Amino acid sequence: IPALIKALDDANPDIRYWAIRALGRMGAAARPAVKKLEGLTKLEEPVERGWVIWALMRIDPNEAAVRRA
C-alpha cells in the first residue's frame, strides 16, 4: 500500500490511474490511502477525479470525502 500511495504523486496520469484502481480494489485494506485520495478529489481531470471517488467509495462508503465530492 505505501508504494501505491507514493504512486498517487506521480506526474504520469496513467501511473496514478492504476494506483487509484488498485487501492479501490483493495477495499477497506487501503484505508491508509484515504487522506491522500481525499486530496485528489480536487483534480481538474473529471475522469481521474471520478476514479478517485470510486476508490474512496470502495474503501469506505461512509467516508466524508465521498459525500463532499
Side-chain angles (χ1 to χ4, degrees), residues 13-47:
D14 291 332
I15 301 294
R16 291 193 307 268
Y17 165 79
W18 287 110
I20 293 164
R21 290 274 320 250
L23 289 165
R25 292 183 66 139
M26 289 179 181
R31 195 106 174 85
V34 166
K35 185 172 181 118
K36 184 67 176 177
L37 288 167
E38 284 178 340
L40 297 177
T41 60
K42 295 172 178 44
L43 288 170
E44 293 292 321
E45 168 57 43
V47 173

Side-chain angles (χ1 to χ4, degrees), residues 1-68:
I1 291 177
L4 291 171
I5 293 171
K6 185 176 179 181
L8 296 174
D9 288 325
D10 200 283
N12 183 334
D14 291 332
I15 301 294
R16 291 193 307 268
Y17 165 79
W18 287 110
I20 293 164
R21 290 274 320 250
L23 289 165
R25 292 183 66 139
M26 289 179 181
R31 195 106 174 85
V34 166
K35 185 172 181 118
K36 184 67 176 177
L37 288 167
E38 284 178 340
L40 297 177
T41 60
K42 295 172 178 44
L43 288 170
E44 293 292 321
E45 168 57 43
V47 173
E48 193 172 9
R49 190 173 59 243
W51 279 111
V52 169
I53 294 166
W54 170 85
L56 285 168
M57 288 187 335
R58 296 280 309 246
I59 294 167
D60 184 356
N62 297 315
E63 180 62 44
V66 174
R67 292 189 302 272
R68 286 191 304 268

